[in-house]
Amino acid sequence: MAEKIDMEEAKASNGEALANGLSNPKISSPEPLSQRVKRIVKNNLLVILTVAGVIVGVFIGLTVRNATLTRTQMIYVGFPGEVLIRLLKMIIIPLVVCSLVSGAASIDPKALGKLGGWAMLFFLVTTLIASSIGVVMAFIVNPGVVERGKPTIQGLSDDVPAAKDVIDSFLDLIRNIFPSNLVSAAFQSYGTTYKPITSNGTDGNLTVETVPFPSDQDGMNILGLVVFAIVFGVALRKLGEEGEILIRFFNSFNEATMVIVSWIMWYAPIGIMFLVAGKIVEMENVGMLFASLGKYIACCIIGHAIHGLLIMPAIYFVFTRKNPYTFLWGIFTALATAFGTSSSSATLPLMMKCVEENNGVSKQISRFILPIGATVNMDGAALFQCVAAVFIAQLNNVSLNFVQVITILVTATASSVGAAGIPAGGVLTLAIILEAVSLPTSDISLILAVDWLVDRTCTVLNVEGDAFGAGLLQFFVDRQAKQQEGNELSEVRLEGEPSAAAPEHSPLIEKRGGADSGKPTASSEKESVM
């Protein structure tokens, strides 16, 4: 009877006929269309508002652009967007430091190393794929092969980053991993500058040597903060009970920070709207830019679309067998914010909120992996740098050989690790790639002319790669947990089963024995009836 009642309850819960002949009203009565639309809008209200903000921002920018605005008035148009960027940057340091400390302290050191290793492998492979797509797209489209000669555009910015030796660039990267001052790392990073030093040679002649000197550059050293936070979190876990108080402090700080992020998210649609509008109003000589650099822009954007809409979703689907575009829809607010702010670091708070609430990624994984990804995973930057390097080579009629192409791939992948997660951060490392293959760095001014557009799709691709990395790690952690549970259950069953050395306790043998002796038991009688 108990089994029968349970089956009837299961049928009732599944919406089938109940015992009294009535059907489940929750399942049988369809939801009204108005209620369904209202529920969908309510669940996706922030995404809808963000998309509307981008669209309205484009229309506002195109409308206001027709009016003759002064430079000051243009700044006023983009002011609400500037407030959004300031809010997001304000929260970056406490969010990154607290989330990494609490994340590293909550994960077992062995699992921490395994998670970090899988994450770095995913980031490295996807960045290499992105770089390869960039080189292939550049050779297919040939953006630098123009009939009218090298483009010359008036009013180009001359703020070209100073060229540095490749070895000095990578030494700077290592120096930034180990900041000498944590306070200054919050707003300054290490960079090498060159000074000519005159000395007397052995032959008595004066020799001039260009010597690298250390210098502090404006911009957060996020890489150094990330490394310190991870090490500090592992040290707190090593302390055991003595470190629990500080771990709870960072956990509480982290949760309070995420509450502030949830408030900022509701201002994001307004900020994005004015960011997009302000950038469109500031555009100059749009027709000339697209006429001379249109192939380069198209090459970058198409490459980003291929990698972001085909390659990474395919990788996610192959491993998880889940719909990757449902995952993308869950982070759409963060992607729109990345497009508006053009900064992966500024998008980090919203990305954490989206993957945790919409895509089911645990806090331990998202708050450990996403800050690392925002620092070292730059798929979009690597792809655009490869396109830009081939573009500049074609402009100068330089034929790249196989070794130079491999050099571009490797250098773009490696230098993207140190790229700052700020607007135009990828352009700063482009000079390293050009120096590695002996191309003129002066042509970076052409890249800067359209970087306001290309950098936005770069940022979208960067943060998308971070999110997919977190989703894949969550899948692997869940699968390992299920395997461990299955092993524990099998061990429990084995412990509960009787051993082969004691057959007299087997119920089956006891029944057979009873039947053979001519004294059938009640159970054997039931078996004979069956």
Side-chain angles (χ1 to χ4, degrees), residues 303-355:
H304 288 153
I306 292 173
H307 189 68
L309 297 178
L310 296 178
I311 302 299
M312 282 198 292
I315 294 173
Y316 181 81
F317 175 76
V318 166
F319 284 101
T320 66
R321 299 297 176 183
K322 297 179 181 178
N323 188 347
Y325 300 104
T326 303
F327 189 93
L328 279 178
W329 178 252
I331 60 171
F332 195 88
T333 303
L335 296 180
T337 305
F339 184 84
T341 60
S342 190
S343 171
S344 54
S345 297
T347 313
L348 179 60
L350 302 186
M351 179 58 74
M352 284 186 177
K353 199 77 174 173
C354 288
V355 297

Side-chain angles (χ1 to χ4, degrees), residues 197-244:
I197 300 294
T198 304
S199 60
N200 290 322
T202 54
D203 55 357
N205 296 325
L206 293 176
T207 58
V208 179
E209 181 183 3
T210 303
V211 180
F213 278 87
S215 66
D216 292 325
Q217 299 175 346
D218 291 336
M220 189 192 318
N221 180 11
I222 190 74
L223 190 61
L225 294 175
V226 163
V227 172
F228 173 79
I230 294 174
V231 173
F232 191 69
V234 173
L236 287 179
R237 183 180 178 89
K238 198 76 173 175
L239 285 176
E241 294 183 359
E242 295 179 2
E244 284 296 326

Side-chain angles (χ1 to χ4, degrees), residues 3 24 68 116 118 148 253 267 274 303 385 418-419 426 440 448 473:
E3 293 179 359
N24 193 340
T68 309
W118 280 112
R148 292 172 292 180
F253 203 139
Y267 177 72
F274 284 98
Q385 287 169 354
L448 286 170
L473 283 179

Side-chain angles (χ1 to χ4, degrees), residues 299-311 313 383 457 461 464:
C299 189
C300 290
I301 294 177
I302 293 172
H304 288 153
I306 292 173
H307 189 68
L309 297 178
L310 296 178
I311 302 299
L383 192 150
T457 57
L461 193 60
E464 181 189 340

Side-chain angles (χ1 to χ4, degrees), residues 118-134 307-308 311-313 315-316 319 376-380 382-383 413 416 461-462 464-466 468-469 472:
W118 280 112
M120 294 305 297
L121 179 62
F122 173 78
F123 293 153
L124 177 63
V125 170
T126 54
T127 305
L128 272 174
I129 294 173
S131 302
S132 304
I133 292 174
H307 189 68
I311 302 299
M312 282 198 292
I315 294 173
Y316 181 81
F319 284 101
V376 303
N377 183 37
M378 298 288 175
D379 293 0
L383 192 150
T413 303
S416 65
L461 193 60
N462 291 341
E464 181 189 340
D466 301 342
F468 271 125
L472 281 171

